[in-house]
Amino acid sequence: MLKKILTTTAAISLCAGAAYADYSLTVLHTNDFHARFEPISKYDSGCSSEDNTEGKCFGGSARLVTAIEDARSRTNNSILVDGGDQFQGTLFYTYYKGKLAAEMMNKMGYDAMTVGNHEFDDGPEVLRGFMDALDFPVLMSNADFSGEAFLADKLLKSTIIERGGEKLGLIGLTPQNTDELASPGPNVIFTDPSEAVQGEVDKLTAEGVNKIIVLSHSGYRVDQIVAANTTGVDIIVGGHTNTLLSNSNERAEGPYPTMVGSTAIVSAYAYGKFLGELNVTFDDDGNVTEASGEPLIMDAAVTEDETTVARIAEAAVPLDEIRNKVVAQTAEAIDGSRDVCRHMECQMGNLVADAMLDRVKDQGIHVALANSGGLRASIDAGDVTQGEVLTVLPFQNTLSTFFVDGAMLKAALENGMGQFDNPEDDGRFPQVAGMTFTVESGNATGERVVEVMIDMDGTWEPLDMSKTYGVVSNNYVRNGGDGYKMFREASNVYDFGPDLADVTAEFIAANAPYTPYTDGRITVK
């Protein structure tokens, strides 16, 4: 039976009277946790124990344990699901890979999660080890992974669970461009999300399931497209774009839930700062008759579970010597926020690009290009620890130097602006040093970058399409990450320079107390 089509854009209530067999379900959800097992600051970076005691911190696994238990006590039927990207973001992931994430998710009693692009950062083998340690299924519908031995017999496209005597169908989604964002290898072929979801919906419906939830690590925009292009999907639990949906928070990008037809879309920002809580009522035909809720902020009002605090502290012992080392000072907070750095020149982008160029400028290198997707946090004012730098730059990327002609460099900048009209879910926006450029945002894709100037040993010159330029970036970008595939054809390549986090920390130290800045090197019109 086709679901009724709803047109409201907020919480909905269709039935004044009860249906014959109303079924209520609470969907608890997280997304984009990124190894933030400890509490975080308002900058989404590390938060000291002193600040945590003073009530200035958010999130952390210990608060989530308490909040999940409390939320479950308020409902007869509930599920706990995750929208992907448990991996990557702090030294906890660098040291433990997926082991600690699996332990914490099992402790909290998750029912399912979808694969985020960062779950592929260390290839299918590490993802398989993570899945083997979990007590629940991991889902990804929009890919053919039958040829990947580490995934073929373990990863699922969808699954059915029972709660309160009712069957619930769960479907997973992963970014279609994960091959550009991470390292899934050549044996995983990603496909269109809407077609994949509809295929799984049809299979689940044929098995008698009429309550279907998509766990989507594809971004808020794609979630809305999938909702519009499919039938039978009741709920989409989002991830990937760190989107906050809320009916009370002024920074929300949309209502909670966002309704597209009869589909309720929810998302709870990132880093464990919120626990999403959606309360849904279905009639006996599986139609949603009511959907309401709000992300619950994990602030000091949420008591930390003492057992979990102790376990995370134990897990942190091997990391403390590295991350607590003060490496520099900054005069002001350095803004590395996602909503700035993925749209325009930003302070953290200038810092990282300047640091890269400074390290190798005596090697015939003229310009630096850093993908904004590699910048993962801000840094507050005062002492800067190695742990803070590693939170900003967690990927263990190395400096890459190479040489390209002006045409290839122009193509790279155009790639960086390739999704400028829809940058919400894209990390390719280039932060640069040694060059300036202007973006005509209204131009067609491939024609947006104009007036490129290159600093040639102190003299600013227009970009020459036939001239050769030395470039420094990170090994991820040089090898085609975030769409920079043109750099695979570069010459005189060296991908094995020092770790980008170390280079940045040393640059801050050499310029301490470092004062963050922007200087107009990128102009957007």
Side-chain angles (χ1 to χ4, degrees):
M1 177 180 295
L2 292 177
K3 302 290 179 70
K4 297 175 181 176
I5 303 300
L6 310 180
T7 58
T8 52
T9 58
I12 59 170
S13 181
L14 295 183
C15 298
Y20 290 116
D22 279 356
Y23 171 77
S24 295
L25 176 70
T26 297
V27 180
L28 305 174
H29 59 97
T30 55
N31 57 277
D32 300 281
F33 185 70
H34 287 300
R36 298 303 206 274
F37 302 102
E38 294 179 317
I40 59 174
S41 71
K42 63 181 180 180
Y43 298 106
D44 300 331
S45 187
C47 200
S48 69
S49 58
E50 293 81 9
D51 283 348
N52 196 37
T53 300
E54 293 176 14
K56 298 178 181 179
C57 303
F58 303 87
S61 296
R63 285 193 177 92
L64 282 174
V65 167
T66 298
I68 290 166
E69 182 179 353
D70 289 347
R72 283 176 172 147
S73 71
R74 296 193 293 269
T75 179
N76 293 326
N77 298 310
S78 66
I79 61 171
L80 175 62
V81 293
D82 184 74
D85 272 7
Q86 283 282 325
F87 282 18
Q88 203 64 264
T90 68
L91 274 178
F92 282 104
Y93 178 76
T94 305
Y95 190 85
Y96 291 104
K97 298 305 178 183
K99 293 180 180 178
L100 188 60
E103 178 184 339
M104 287 296 109
M105 294 185 84
N106 287 340
K107 178 183 180 70
M108 296 176 200
Y110 277 81
D111 292 289
M113 72 172 287
T114 191
V115 178
N117 52 288
H118 284 292
E119 268 72 71
F120 279 113
D121 277 354
D122 289 292
E125 184 175 3
V126 171
L127 173 57
R128 175 56 185 262
F130 173 62
M131 292 192 295
D132 284 343
L134 295 174
D135 296 335
F136 55 86
V138 178
L139 312 174
M140 183 173 72
S141 66
N142 62 318
D144 179 359
F145 47 84
S146 59
E148 176 49 66
F150 286 113
L151 306 179
D153 64 340
K154 184 70 174 180
L155 187 59
L156 303 176
K157 291 179 179 289
S158 63
T159 192
I160 299 172
I161 65 174
E162 291 195 10
R163 200 56 39 92
E166 293 287 330
K167 292 181 178 180
L168 307 173
L170 307 179
I171 302 169
L173 267 185
T174 299
Q176 191 173 357
N177 63 337
T178 291
D179 59 332
E180 296 180 356
L181 302 176
S183 303
N187 301 323
V188 183
I189 310 301
F190 295 89
T191 61
D192 179 78
S194 295
E195 293 178 6
V197 167
Q198 192 63 64
E200 293 305 304
V201 169
D202 294 345
K203 292 177 184 177
L204 293 167
T205 301
E207 295 183 46
V209 180
N210 64 8
K211 302 172 184 65
I212 295 177
I213 302 169
V214 175
L215 311 182
S216 172
H217 192 81
S218 297
Y220 186 42
R221 180 183 65 88
V222 174
D223 290 344
Q224 293 173 80
I225 292 171
V226 170
N229 290 346
T230 59
T231 60
V233 176
D234 296 297
I235 300 165
I236 298 178
V237 174
H240 188 49
T241 47
N242 296 14
T243 300
L244 175 63
L245 299 180
S246 171
N247 303 312
S248 60
N249 191 307
E250 62 182 14
R251 299 185 65 182
E253 296 182 42
Y256 184 102
T258 295
M259 298 302 303
V260 176
S262 59
T263 304
I265 300 172
V266 294
S267 182
Y269 184 55
Y271 311 125
K273 192 171 185 178
F274 295 87
L275 173 67
E277 182 180 28
L278 178 69
N279 300 298
V280 184
T281 301
F282 299 86
D283 67 19
D284 53 351
D285 291 324
N287 298 307
V288 175
T289 61
E290 187 175 349
S292 63
E294 183 74 9
L296 310 173
I297 192 164
M298 299 293 100
D299 60 13
V302 180
T303 303
E304 293 179 285
D305 175 72
E306 293 183 3
T307 302
T308 307
V309 169
R311 174 66 186 109
I312 298 302
E314 178 185 31
V317 170
L319 318 180
D320 283 342
E321 182 177 354
I322 300 171
R323 64 182 182 170
N324 290 335
K325 180 182 178 182
V326 175
V327 295
Q329 292 79 33
T330 180
E332 302 170 11
I334 307 171
D335 186 3
S337 57
R338 177 191 182 108
D339 57 349
V340 175
C341 291
R342 297 196 182 197
H343 294 237
M344 64 189 73
E345 175 190 355
C346 72
Q347 293 176 346
M348 190 65 74
N350 285 358
L351 165 60
V352 173
D354 287 350
M356 290 196 296
L357 185 57
D358 182 75
R359 176 60 69 96
V360 296
K361 61 185 178 183
D362 61 351
Q363 301 175 23
I365 302 302
H366 305 102
V367 299
L369 188 153
N371 60 315
S372 293
L375 310 176
R376 310 305 289 192
S378 301
I379 292 177
D380 55 5
D383 287 344
V384 179
T385 66
Q386 186 71 15
E388 287 181 294
V389 179
L390 287 165
T391 300
V392 175
L393 300 163
F395 301 115
Q396 298 180 290
N397 291 137
T398 55
L399 254 60
S400 289
T401 54
F402 49 97
F403 290 81
V404 303
D405 61 23
M408 187 180 291
L409 185 54
K410 173 66 157 51
L413 294 175
E414 291 289 1
N415 170 72
M417 297 300 130
Q419 297 190 20
F420 186 78
D421 54 349
N422 179 40
E424 64 169 17
D425 60 351
D426 200 84
R428 68 185 68 197
F429 188 97
Q431 301 291 334
V432 300
M435 77 168 88
T436 66
F437 64 91
T438 298
V439 181
E440 294 284 358
S441 58
N443 288 1
T445 301
E447 301 175 358
R448 290 174 174 153
V449 177
V450 298
E451 301 176 23
V452 182
M453 300 292 291
I454 307 295
D455 183 0
M456 300 297 291
D457 300 318
T459 301
W460 288 92
E461 300 178 0
L463 179 70
D464 184 334
M465 295 298 178
S466 61
K467 192 169 184 175
T468 298
Y469 299 95
V471 181
V472 60
S473 189
N474 61 64
N475 61 311
Y476 168 74
V477 167
R478 214 288 304 165
N479 284 280
D482 274 339
Y484 288 94
K485 295 178 181 179
M486 69 291 297
F487 286 156
R488 294 174 182 170
E489 307 302 319
S491 60
N492 297 326
V493 172
Y494 185 72
D495 283 338
F496 309 105
D499 187 283
L500 179 55
D502 291 339
V503 169
T504 302
E506 291 167 14
F507 183 81
I508 302 173
N511 293 277
Y514 178 80
T515 300
Y517 72 100
T518 58
D519 58 7
R521 61 186 67 177
I522 302 172
T523 301
V524 179
K525 295 183 178 179

